[in-house]
Amino acid sequence: MKHKTFWLTTCIGLVAAAAWAGDGDPTPVSNKEAIDLVQTHANYMWTLIAAALVFFMQAGFAMVETGFTRAKNAINIMMKNLMDFSVGTLAFWAVGFGLMFGVTSTGWFGTSGFFLSDFTPDGDPWILAFWMFQVVFAATAATIVSGAMAERTKFSGYLIYSFVISAFIYPIFGSWAWGNLYKGNGWLGALGFIDFAGSTVVHSVGGWAALAGTLVLGPRIGKYVKGGTKPILGHNIPLAALGVFILWLGWFGFNPGSTTAANKSIALIFVNTNMAAAAGGVAAMFVSWLKFGKSEIGMSLNGVLAGLVSITAGCANVSPTSSIIIGLMAGTIVVFAVIFFEHLKIDDPVGAISVHGVCGSFGTIAAGIFNSAGFSLKLVGVQFLGVAACFVWVFPLAYGLFKLIDMTIGLRVSPEEELEGLDLAEHGGIAYPDFEVSSHGGSGEGMGPAYTSMQYRRVSTPMPHMVEGT
């Protein structure tokens, strides 16, 4: 056995020596090239792993939206989230990526790279990794709107919106802030605008489009009545909670992955992301506890998301202590933002406008206020300008788009279809075939405004205490 080991070791050594001799002695130049190649491969690997994590956030969004709404609309919600990514991928490939990252002479939008034309088989394949990471961000912006427009939107009208936001609305604003990451040179980025992973570029774009869609649609049947507001309870809060945990995990790709480089800087971004999420959940829990007398689960879950959204802009340029402060503030803001929109009778079943629109804007401004390099009124002013530019660009355009859809093919389903549930009316299916879903409007008393709803009972084992009107 010892002789076999000796000869095997000798042969391996001779082969290695021959290979080394064939390549010549290592030099500082060859060593640097080898190290650079390893770093390049690591960058590719980290960027694509992060892209996979961000893609997994689609599952989180789908679960949150489904859990916070009624069972009779579960298939519809899954279809919207599925098509957000599917339609959005094709739209971003054909048009969006070129507008966002193509060559520009104006700083307003790109003019090259459509249909992924920058890729050639014998060229630099980095464009593929970069495109993959960017397309999952575009899908995130698109899917934010789904929750705010849940339970009453016509599926065909929603598909048109999904294509337009991925092909045009999101990429144009994205080019202003992030175009310089590839071949562009956006005017906001040139001013020093800080939005590292997209509190405004991704989340506020989705949030303000959600506000526009909700205003055009109007509230769900039975939500606002003469006596006040009737909460429409979510049918599966554990599913919504699982969705939030999946989103929390996905954010570790969303924020650290925005480095598109495997280096030491991702450690701070990981920590800041986690700190803000935890602080947001704690703040929302205590504020809702004081406000409603109970530690409210819907608000607490949205508090975590508010913390994540808010730290997304400044995750790379604030300290861990600052990230906790940002999270605490976001968790507080989201509770009062949800109440504010409820007071205005703007029916947002999942709190998407508050979480993504309001807290995305707050987080972008906070990135300037808590900047580790030092406070600067000029920087904070640029941050305010970016937030304002996002609203001025997205809201009127999205509102006009939804109005146009409403006047042509229609944006909202009929009252009969809404009461019956969009699963049957739009997709001819039932998400829970072993349950009987009620088809009339309903509410739950004593719950916080973050809840949205659904009621059903099992057909095989009737449980009358579980049944409420819808």
Side-chain angles (χ1 to χ4, degrees):
M1 183 68 181
K2 290 181 179 179
H3 292 306
K4 290 181 180 179
T5 303
F6 170 77
W7 285 111
L8 179 61
T9 304
T10 301
C11 289
I12 291 173
L14 290 172
V15 170
W20 189 280
D23 291 340
D25 293 334
T27 66
V29 173
S30 64
N31 282 343
K32 183 180 184 307
E33 289 174 350
I35 293 169
D36 288 346
L37 184 61
V38 170
Q39 181 64 55
T40 297
H41 288 172
N43 293 345
Y44 272 77
M45 182 66 72
W46 168 236
T47 299
L48 292 173
I49 288 173
L53 285 170
V54 178
F55 168 75
F56 193 43
M57 290 173 70
Q58 292 291 128
F61 280 117
M63 288 182 177
V64 168
E65 184 181 348
T66 303
F68 274 158
T69 52
R70 290 169 287 188
K72 62 185 181 182
N73 300 306
I75 291 174
N76 175 257
I77 288 164
M78 291 298 170
M79 282 293 289
K80 286 191 299 176
N81 280 269
L82 175 65
M83 288 300 109
D84 273 332
F85 191 79
S86 301
V87 171
T89 292
L90 298 177
F92 196 69
W93 162 75
V95 183
F97 184 80
L99 290 175
M100 191 164 177
F101 294 106
V103 175
T104 178
S105 59
T106 64
W108 291 93
F109 57 87
T111 58
S112 67
F114 302 107
F115 299 97
L116 207 53
S117 57
D118 285 342
F119 170 70
T120 56
D122 57 346
D124 185 1
W126 172 249
I127 179 62
L128 298 179
F130 183 71
W131 181 88
M132 193 66 229
F133 188 74
Q134 294 301 329
V135 75
V136 292
F137 270 54
T140 299
T143 206
I144 288 168
V145 184
S146 176
M149 298 175 65
E151 302 202 287
R152 70 264 201 216
T153 304
K154 188 178 289 188
F155 186 63
S156 56
Y158 185 83
L159 288 178
I160 295 173
Y161 144 77
S162 188
F163 181 89
V164 173
I165 192 171
S166 298
F168 185 69
I169 297 175
Y170 165 75
I172 292 291
F173 184 78
S175 73
W176 300 351
W178 290 350
N180 60 346
L181 295 178
Y182 189 53
K183 292 184 177 180
N185 184 27
W187 65 271
L188 263 178
L191 291 174
F193 179 63
I194 298 174
D195 193 0
F196 186 77
S199 286
T200 288
V201 174
V202 178
H203 294 282
S204 286
V205 166
W208 301 141
L211 175 61
T214 304
L215 289 175
V216 174
L217 272 175
R220 290 166 291 173
I221 295 173
K223 175 68 175 177
Y224 302 111
V225 294
K226 189 174 182 180
T229 299
K230 284 191 172 184
I232 302 177
L233 303 183
H235 86 279
N236 196 332
I237 299 303
L239 184 67
L242 179 59
V244 169
F245 280 114
I246 289 174
L247 288 170
W248 197 333
L249 171 65
W251 239 284
F252 293 135
F254 202 96
N255 287 358
S258 293
T259 59
T260 62
N263 57 41
K264 294 184 288 186
S265 68
I266 63 176
L268 175 66
I269 300 171
F270 259 89
V271 170
N272 283 346
T273 300
N274 190 64
M275 290 293 195
V282 170
M285 178 192 69
F286 278 114
V287 172
S288 65
W289 205 335
L290 292 171
K291 184 71 177 175
F292 308 122
K294 300 290 182 181
S295 52
E296 214 267 351
I297 180 65
M299 288 295 192
S300 300
L301 293 173
N302 270 340
V304 170
L305 297 181
L308 289 165
V309 168
S310 295
I311 198 59
T312 295
C315 56
N317 73 291
V318 303
S319 69
T321 300
S322 295
S323 70
I324 293 173
I325 296 171
I326 291 171
L328 290 172
M329 294 175 71
T332 302
I333 288 169
V334 75
V335 174
F336 291 102
V338 168
I339 295 171
F340 173 75
F341 287 114
E342 282 285 335
H343 180 72
L344 295 180
K345 293 183 168 51
I346 296 174
D347 185 13
D348 177 0
V350 303
I353 302 167
S354 301
V355 169
H356 301 279
V358 175
C359 290
S361 299
F362 160 72
T364 304
I365 295 167
I369 294 173
F370 292 95
N371 183 29
S372 295
F375 178 82
S376 164
L377 280 176
K378 180 181 177 181
L379 176 59
V380 174
V382 170
Q383 298 302 101
F384 270 103
L385 176 62
V387 167
C390 179
F391 185 84
V392 170
W393 167 252
V394 174
F395 180 77
L397 199 59
Y399 189 86
L401 172 64
F402 286 124
K403 272 292 188 183
L404 182 62
I405 294 171
D406 191 43
M407 292 186 295
T408 51
I409 66 171
L411 186 63
R412 182 164 184 157
V413 297
S414 69
E416 294 76 18
E417 290 172 326
E418 184 177 342
L419 291 173
E420 180 184 49
L422 274 63
D423 289 359
L424 279 171
E426 292 281 285
H427 310 287
I430 301 173
Y432 304 95
D434 292 335
F435 291 79
E436 178 183 301
V437 182
S438 61
S439 59
H440 300 286
S443 65
E445 301 297 335
M447 309 303 291
Y451 274 105
T452 55
S453 80
M454 125 70 227
Q455 298 80 27
Y456 60 83
R457 62 185 176 88
R458 194 176 186 89
V459 174
S460 56
T461 309
M463 299 176 68
H465 67 279
M466 292 179 64
V467 183
E468 299 179 35
T470 348

